[in-house]
Amino acid sequence: MPLTLLLRCHDLDLTREHYRDTLGFSVSDSAEGTLTVQLQDCRLLFTAHDLWSAAVGSSGTLYFQIVDVEGYFEQVKDHAQIAWPLQDMPYGSREFGVRDCNGYHLAFAQLANA
């Protein structure tokens, strides 16, 4: 079952450019002043509106299960702010992390046997 998160961002235009140009996501404007970003089957929605009376941010890491994590790392490593490098994790995935333009931590992972 797919899950899509709606996250607050600092600026929709900056977020659009970052996800499209730096991270290689497909990006589209969506309903009610939101922005949809997608990589493979993974999708996020962003809004600049303060719907929660809270600052932009999250204490967690958003994990994206993707095909060919090594190839994707090679594509973004010189452009994105790398939070941790591509590595094999003890819990069975190969992954790396980035910090996006809003301060969110994103992990891109592939099961080691996939």
Side-chain angles (χ1 to χ4, degrees):
M1 167 172 56
L3 172 69
T4 304
L5 297 175
L6 174 62
L7 301 170
R8 185 173 174 204
C9 66
H10 295 291
D11 178 287
L12 278 179
D13 290 330
L14 176 66
T15 300
R16 176 184 294 106
E17 290 172 16
H18 179 76
Y19 276 84
R20 181 189 61 218
D21 301 341
T22 303
L23 298 178
F25 280 58
S26 61
V27 177
S28 60
D29 292 318
S30 37
E32 313 248 346
T34 62
L35 178 70
T36 300
V37 301
Q38 184 167 345
L39 180 68
Q40 297 176 24
D41 293 339
C42 307
R43 181 178 305 128
L44 297 173
L45 263 70
F46 287 97
T47 182
H49 299 294
D50 184 4
L51 304 173
W52 306 274
S53 299
V56 173
S58 168
S59 64
T61 300
L62 305 173
Y63 270 79
F64 293 80
Q65 293 291 326
I66 62 170
V67 176
D68 189 18
V69 72
E70 242 175 275
Y72 185 62
F73 179 72
E74 289 300 317
Q75 177 185 332
V76 303
K77 71 178 182 179
D78 295 329
H79 310 288
Q81 183 182 353
I82 302 298
W84 65 90
L86 183 65
Q87 58 191 291
D88 293 319
M89 304 305 274
Y91 41 84
S93 73
R94 185 157 177 76
E95 67 182 57
F96 71 96
V98 303
R99 185 177 162 117
D100 85 349
C101 62
N102 297 293
Y104 294 110
H105 283 92
L106 313 175
F108 298 93
Q110 180 178 353
L111 292 179
N113 60 359

